[in-house]
Amino acid sequence: MQKTYCNPVYPEIMADPFVLKHEGRYFAYGTAPDGPGGGRFPILVSNDLVDWRPAGYALMEPGLDHFWAPEVAYSEGKFWLYYSRGDVEGKHHKLRVAVADNPVGPFKDCGVLLVPDQPFSIDAHPFRDLDGQWYLYYCVDFLECEDDHRIGTGIVVDRLLAMDRLAGEPRTVARPHADWHLFKMQRAMYDAVYDWHTVEGASVLVHGGKYYCFYSGGAWEKENYGVSYVVADHPLGPFTRPEGSEEALLMRSRAPNVIGPGHNSFTTSPDGSQDWIVYHAWDTAMTGRRMCIDRLVWQGGRPTTGGPTFTRQPAPAGLDLP
């Protein structure tokens, strides 16, 4: 008999979920309300991607600042936590990095700003290429109209010279270009007012020799939020949009059951034979964003998924029950 699951796979708020598979176990990190004593970023542990238990918080940082979108990379025998920290309004976030000897921490901030020349930077995604080179994908704001791009938040990529230092040569990966990327009409930003569009939450997979940078677009608290992707031959690009990018190609809301699926990461099944997407989605009452999983399948060189699902599904491969 095969084990099954039903989304969400964890009952508490767990937005922007990132899953690290390390030595056969899964460690999830997410954005959530502050924990006791200023705990930031809850950590969950699982052996199967389905059953999760809490394992404390990644950082202990009392205060009023907001902490968003953690991701963890394992390199040089240490665990590197990338995240943004900023004010309550969410307009002045800066990317930071912390380090630990264990995937459940405690993580200690390295005391550096990764992108000091930008007024706003969020959603860091560390990616290690096959040759061992690390890259960091992250989001910044664009205030210029170029080609068919819209003004708003987009994704860039830069090389990591060390796990806590960027080359300072960012290249554009994806900018908002479609109506479904709308974040807010007439948004006051940078002493002006814009129809603001957003693509964010980068996550990279390599398939068939191509680099697929998945992103979430739109307004995170609304039905237009979904997941799409761009494709390149190299981690630094140039990235191109597949046909049909006027809509979210991979995942979108399935109202009224699932609203705003997105800000995903990827991992593999316990036996390594399957790709799985891990993402957040709102419950029907819109009380919080919770962690969900669904299988990712490649068909004709294109990524597809049955998600966002809200009914019982077969669990990841390698979990057959006696």
Side-chain angles (χ1 to χ4, degrees):
M1 183 177 71
Q2 186 180 38
K3 187 172 184 177
T4 61
Y5 75 93
C6 189
N7 284 319
V9 292
Y10 187 69
E12 305 299 328
I13 292 174
M14 192 73 173
D16 314 325
F18 174 79
V19 169
L20 173 72
K21 188 178 183 182
H22 181 73
E23 296 182 346
R25 302 180 76 194
Y26 299 94
F27 300 87
Y29 310 81
T31 304
D34 299 349
R40 312 286 186 158
F41 304 134
I43 303 174
L44 310 177
V45 180
S46 175
N47 293 322
D48 57 15
L49 273 180
V50 174
D51 298 316
W52 296 87
R53 63 174 179 82
Y57 291 83
L59 290 171
M60 299 303 295
E61 294 279 0
L64 298 178
D65 284 356
H66 281 201
F67 290 67
W68 291 354
E71 294 209 12
V72 174
Y74 178 67
S75 179
E76 304 167 1
K78 295 185 180 295
F79 298 86
W80 304 85
L81 172 74
Y82 298 86
Y83 66 98
S84 70
R85 177 177 183 170
D87 62 18
V88 174
E89 293 184 354
K91 295 182 180 180
H92 302 284
H93 270 247
K94 298 281 191 176
L95 285 179
R96 307 184 68 91
V97 61
V99 65
D101 295 322
N102 191 295
V104 296
F107 287 85
K108 183 178 180 180
D109 188 87
C110 295
V112 297
L113 295 178
L114 290 170
V115 194
D117 60 334
Q118 287 287 344
F120 178 82
S121 55
I122 60 169
D123 292 1
H125 170 63
F127 170 75
R128 184 179 184 269
D129 200 7
L130 299 177
D131 63 2
Q133 174 65 53
W134 282 96
Y135 299 86
L136 194 71
Y137 294 76
Y138 60 93
C139 291
V140 295
D141 290 340
F142 292 85
L143 303 183
E144 308 83 22
C145 291
E146 297 177 359
D147 302 323
D148 62 348
H149 296 141
R150 316 284 178 91
I151 289 175
T153 304
I155 299 169
V156 299
V157 59
D158 198 358
R159 289 180 302 118
L160 280 162
L161 300 181
M163 298 306 287
D164 60 355
R165 182 161 54 95
L166 288 164
E169 302 170 348
R171 300 189 186 185
T172 301
V173 173
R175 287 185 56 180
H177 63 272
D179 290 345
W180 72 274
H181 295 154
L182 180 66
F183 180 83
K184 185 178 181 180
M185 298 287 288
Q186 297 294 288
R187 187 186 188 197
M189 294 288 290
Y190 301 105
D191 299 320
V193 177
Y194 304 98
D195 289 343
W196 197 265
H197 292 69
T198 293
V199 297
E200 61 186 10
S203 189
V204 176
L205 280 181
V206 181
H207 181 80
K210 301 284 186 180
Y211 296 82
Y212 291 75
C213 180
F214 295 81
Y215 66 82
S216 296
W220 58 272
E221 78 276 34
K222 296 182 179 179
E223 289 188 16
N224 67 314
Y225 202 66
V227 180
S228 199
Y229 59 92
V230 290
V231 187
D233 294 324
H234 188 275
L236 292 175
F239 285 85
T240 59
R241 303 193 296 247
E243 182 180 353
S245 292
E246 295 76 18
E247 303 290 342
L249 289 172
L250 185 69
M251 188 177 287
R252 64 186 75 180
S253 293
R254 289 187 174 177
N257 297 292
V258 183
I259 304 298
H263 203 130
N264 69 278
S265 59
F266 293 100
T267 190
T268 58
S269 57
D271 67 1
S273 68
Q274 300 170 339
D275 291 325
W276 283 75
I277 182 172
V278 183
Y279 60 97
H280 70 230
W282 289 94
D283 56 51
T284 55
M286 299 289 286
T287 62
R289 295 170 291 168
R290 291 171 172 80
M291 187 169 71
C292 303
I293 65 171
D294 277 304
R295 188 176 174 188
L296 184 79
V297 178
W298 297 86
Q299 296 180 343
R302 292 175 69 95
T304 65
T305 180
T309 64
F310 51 89
T311 58
R312 192 153 293 278
Q313 303 290 320
L319 299 179
D320 291 344
L321 301 179

